Amino acid sequence: MKFFMILLVSLVSLYAKAPSLKPVDNALYTKECASCHFGYQPGLLPSQSWEYIMGSLEDHYGTDASIDENDNKELLAYLVANSSQNAMNYKRSAKITKSLEKGVLYKSLTQIPYLKEKHKDIKPWMIEQKEVGSLARCAACHKGANKAYFKDKDVEIPNYGRWEK
């Protein structure tokens, strides 16, 4: 009996520390994308969104983020292979994919229905303050975002504190 209790505690402990998205594991992505902004895990968006983003880097949310054509192709392949619908074994990617409306092109993660729902109770001033600025700045509040940890208990909103519903 003692063995099974230790095994159960060990399994729960492992699950509790598991990332809810596949962490970024591509050096080119880290160099080209995450050097300018938060390195969004590919599982946060569906493949169509990544195709749109990588196809419009000359106007990347108001900035020219153009890169070499070969690097673009390599990054797009990585992003699509790890996009939400191709990473369904990760909890958040599965929830994101299930929330998507058929035929809609989501041009930003702030448009994703699941992510909008998760953030609906956050007051506008918490987002608009200079320390956050946008829901797209995940790491401003999600302290484990760089490692793909997005648990509610780990949210700390600047000038507010730990998030509690």
Side-chain angles (χ1 to χ4, degrees):
M1 182 67 171
K2 185 176 179 182
F3 169 77
F4 289 111
M5 288 302 289
I6 292 170
L7 180 63
L8 179 63
V9 169
S10 297
L11 288 173
V12 168
S13 173
L14 283 173
Y15 177 75
K17 294 180 182 178
S20 56
L21 289 160
K22 182 180 186 219
V24 171
D25 61 355
N26 182 288
L28 182 60
Y29 178 78
T30 300
K31 176 184 168 227
E32 291 294 344
C33 305
S35 62
C36 295
H37 57 70
F38 172 71
Y40 299 101
Q41 289 82 13
L44 285 167
L45 289 170
S47 57
Q48 302 89 321
S49 298
W50 288 119
E51 289 165 356
Y52 167 80
I53 290 167
M54 295 305 292
S56 58
L57 289 177
E58 67 283 348
D59 185 15
H60 186 63
Y61 308 102
T63 303
D64 184 353
S66 299
I67 59 173
D68 172 83
E69 185 178 338
N70 290 331
D71 287 348
N72 189 303
K73 286 179 183 176
E74 183 179 330
L75 285 174
L76 179 58
Y78 165 71
L79 293 166
V80 168
N82 294 285
S83 62
S84 67
Q85 70 267 43
N86 292 325
M88 295 289 281
N89 54 324
Y90 288 90
K91 182 174 103 175
R92 295 267 186 252
S93 293
K95 289 181 177 186
I96 286 167
T97 300
K98 289 175 185 169
S99 79
L100 302 175
E101 294 178 44
K102 213 174 193 77
V104 175
L105 173 61
Y106 298 96
K107 297 179 180 181
S108 165
L109 75 134
T110 61
Q111 298 173 337
I112 300 294
Y114 170 77
L115 298 175
K116 287 173 69 172
E117 177 66 23
K118 287 295 287 181
H119 294 90
K120 73 177 182 184
D121 294 330
I122 298 174
K123 305 284 186 241
W125 74 264
M126 295 177 181
I127 299 162
E128 294 163 358
Q129 62 176 311
K130 67 179 179 166
E131 292 86 354
V132 180
S134 165
L135 285 178
R137 295 199 54 232
C138 306
C141 302
H142 293 274
K143 300 308 173 193
N146 286 326
K147 294 181 180 177
Y149 295 109
F150 289 93
K151 299 216 180 271
D152 289 346
K153 68 181 180 95
D154 296 329
V155 174
E156 178 120 2
I157 300 173
N159 302 310
Y160 175 79
R162 188 166 176 264
W163 177 251
E164 305 219 13
K165 285 188 174 184

